[in-house]
Amino acid sequence: MPFFIRSFMIMLLSFLAIQLNLCFSNIQFSLTDLRITGHFSFVNNEFAGKDYGNQFRFLPLAVLYPGSVSDIAATVSHVWDLGPGSGLTVAARGHGHSIQGQAQAHRGIVVNMESLKKPKMKFEFEFGESGFGYVDVSGGELWIDILKESLKFGLAPKSWTDYLHLTVGGTLSNAGISGQAFRHGPQISNVRQLEVVTGKGDVVTCSDEQNADLFNGVLGGLGQFGIITRARIALEPAAQMVKWIRVLYSDFSTFTRDQERLISAKNTFDYIEGLVIINRTGLLNNWRSSFNPKDDDEASQFKSEGKTLFCLELAKYFNPDNDNGALNEEIESMLSELRYIPSTVFMTEVAYIEFLDRVHTAEIKLQAKGLWDVPHPWLNLLVPSSKIHVFGDEVFGNILADTSNGPVLVYPVNKSKWNNRTSAVIPDEDVFYLVAFLSQADPLSTGKDGLVYLLGQNKRILDFCKEADLGVKQYLPHFNTQDEWRAHFGQRWETFQRRKMDYDPLAILAPGQRIFQKGIMDL
Ligand SMILES: Cc1cc2nc3c(=O)[nH]c(=O)nc-3n(C[C@H](O)[C@H](O)[C@H](O)COP(=O)(O)OP(=O)(O)OC[C@H]3O[C@@H](n4cnc5c(N)ncnc54)[C@H](O)[C@@H]3O)c2cc1C
Ligand SMILES: *[C@@H]1O[C@H](CO)[C@@H](O)[C@H](O)[C@H]1NC(C)=O
Ligand SMILES: *[C@@H]1O[C@H](CO)[C@@H](O)[C@H](O)[C@H]1NC(C)=O
Ligand SMILES: *[C@@H]1O[C@H](CO)[C@@H](O)[C@H](O)[C@H]1NC(C)=O
């Protein structure tokens, strides 16, 4: 080939390559041109394409480390101005503890919320009917840090998740459910005000009184209507210590009857959960996380024989300075109403913060064994109370009869503590159960502890719920088609879709939820 033709072809090819790259590097330049106090990063962004589930990996084009809310607003406004054609999306990333890529943005912009340090935590105290005040926190704040700061004033938020190394924005985009939810409702029922950056780049303060539609939309809204940059969280006086109790059942109906009795009793525990123990043989002390019953408990001699057991987990808050004779009597009396297997009362006492941060203690142990950063094919379901036995018979009696690869939680909550104007989707029944299959997969296994098997097991559970028409809803939902999303939202779909049109009409935000797609929003 003559030299000049070759040179011409090389020129042509490099010209084409430059054209192809242009759109990307243009965006890159335009981002670096934005006036912000934080910064963008275009390298070392692998962390933003990963999450706790360890199954989905989509690398972003850029990560924004915001210095203030106006950095986030400027970025979203810029993407808004680029119009639908750019295909560019923006995902707020909290602590990245999603399971299916929900905080990722394929070739988009990930906002690293934890670097948003403004506003600094600010406490307001009130003494009256409305409670003991509140704290204003950044949307990227971790719950553990809010707890530590509040305790300095003898206060604490009311409603939690089991694990506290999660961000406020991340849990409020879902619900935030734990053993206090039966009494206080989920975390989204304990927020007084939010500051949000919408999909048009507007910064809006909202509450039940002001911009209530946006406020309710964002709570449980899967990040679809705005990025939470500040939240006002209600507080209560904090306890110092916790009596932490576990009792065992061999019969599922007796177990759930007692759970439901406890959540509706006037005088009851401060925390009520439960877990399923599948096919364990041997002594049952210290079988999960940081719970270490006293050695001299009669219960520590209890031997399990391989069948399925149900463990009711309870906590009562207390202060050591008060009269604990009365407290012990009260606990005795509450326990005496229950029908667990006699001689299976495991009891321990821990500091309040140690109790709330208990899963982190387990995390440290798992980290040390290299078992924390493995795939987590979790499945979380909300099951109506009237169907929990049909569900339990099939799922615990059949699908999961021989093994479980991680904790399985089961506990009821009361719907009256959920505000039905929020985006959170729950079953249509007064009492429903959270059932959480918190599996971990051995990345090298092709057997019953491998990812493929566990995903298959989840599918069997979901298929059963659908076939038996149990009215089950997914919590932390994940679907592949918009039809499935519609079915998930049911009557709420119209409102959800209308809110998307109002607050993020170009579908810029939280693309990793895969509900709406930028450019092809079919409304
Ligand atoms: C070990 C562990 C224990 C858990 N225990 C519980 C539990 O007891 N109860 C419970 O309810 N949940 C629990 N979860 C689930 C957890 O609440 C959700 O996965 C939550 O989304 C994680 O928060 P994150 O900060 O990591 O959010 P991310 O995974 O970073 O984000 C989740 C979603 O929210 C969006 N988002 C993040 N920040 C914002 C923001 N500021 N504004 C708007 N949208 C935002 C993201 O774009 C994404 O779509 C647990 C998870 C783990 C890993
Ligand atoms: C749920 O809570 C409401 C309001 O507190 C109460 O009236 C109702 O009895 C509760 N239902 C159950 C089943 O506990
Ligand atoms: C329970 O576990 C044992 C081994 O630990 C296993 O042999 C058995 O098949 C399992 N299943 C049931 C239903 O017991
Ligand atoms: C919410 O609950 C109230 C009172 O029970 C009811 O009137 C209203 O229709 C419900 N709204 C939605 C959106 O379900």
Side-chain angles (χ1 to χ4, degrees), residues 269-325:
F269 291 89
D270 295 300
Y271 161 102
I272 299 168
E273 285 199 8
L275 42 121
V276 186
I277 301 168
I278 294 161
N279 197 15
R280 285 279 203 110
T281 307
L283 282 182
L284 262 189
N285 51 354
N286 194 15
W287 65 85
R288 190 199 166 201
S289 77
S290 47
F291 184 84
N292 290 307
K294 294 181 198 140
D295 288 339
D296 54 354
D297 273 359
E298 186 189 353
S300 64
Q301 295 309 311
F302 180 83
K303 276 208 179 93
S304 162
E305 289 151 24
K307 56 187 178 173
T308 302
L309 290 170
F310 305 94
C311 169
L312 175 62
E313 182 177 58
L314 306 163
K316 186 81 185 159
Y317 302 160
F318 73 104
N319 291 332
D321 305 338
N322 299 352
D323 174 12
N324 290 312

Side-chain angles (χ1 to χ4, degrees), residues 297-428:
D297 273 359
E298 186 189 353
S300 64
Q301 295 309 311
F302 180 83
K303 276 208 179 93
S304 162
E305 289 151 24
K307 56 187 178 173
T308 302
L309 290 170
F310 305 94
C311 169
L312 175 62
E313 182 177 58
L314 306 163
K316 186 81 185 159
Y317 302 160
F318 73 104
N319 291 332
D321 305 338
N322 299 352
D323 174 12
N324 290 312
L327 176 82
N328 289 335
E329 255 172 47
E330 197 187 328
I331 291 177
E332 283 299 317
S333 132
M334 290 189 297
L335 288 177
S336 71
E337 309 257 300
L338 305 177
R339 305 215 324 217
Y340 51 85
I341 307 170
S343 82
T344 62
V345 185
F346 297 79
M347 209 177 302
T348 188
E349 276 179 31
V350 293
Y352 180 64
I353 185 166
E354 199 184 316
F355 173 72
L356 289 179
D357 203 23
R358 62 200 175 276
V359 177
H360 184 57
T361 313
E363 172 186 1
I364 293 168
K365 289 186 198 163
L366 289 171
Q367 292 262 23
K369 294 188 209 155
L371 291 177
W372 187 252
D373 295 319
V374 296
H376 291 101
W378 285 11
L379 179 65
N380 283 269
L381 302 175
L382 303 172
V383 183
S385 163
S386 66
K387 297 290 161 49
I388 194 70
H389 296 110
V390 184
F391 178 91
D393 284 350
E394 172 64 14
V395 175
F396 308 130
N398 189 15
I399 301 179
L400 287 186
D402 54 350
T403 62
S404 74
N405 265 72
V408 179
L409 310 185
V410 181
Y411 58 92
V413 293
N414 183 328
K415 186 172 85 172
S416 69
K417 310 288 177 186
W418 294 64
N419 170 352
N420 71 355
R421 293 181 302 276
T422 69
S423 295
V425 174
I426 58 177
D428 188 16

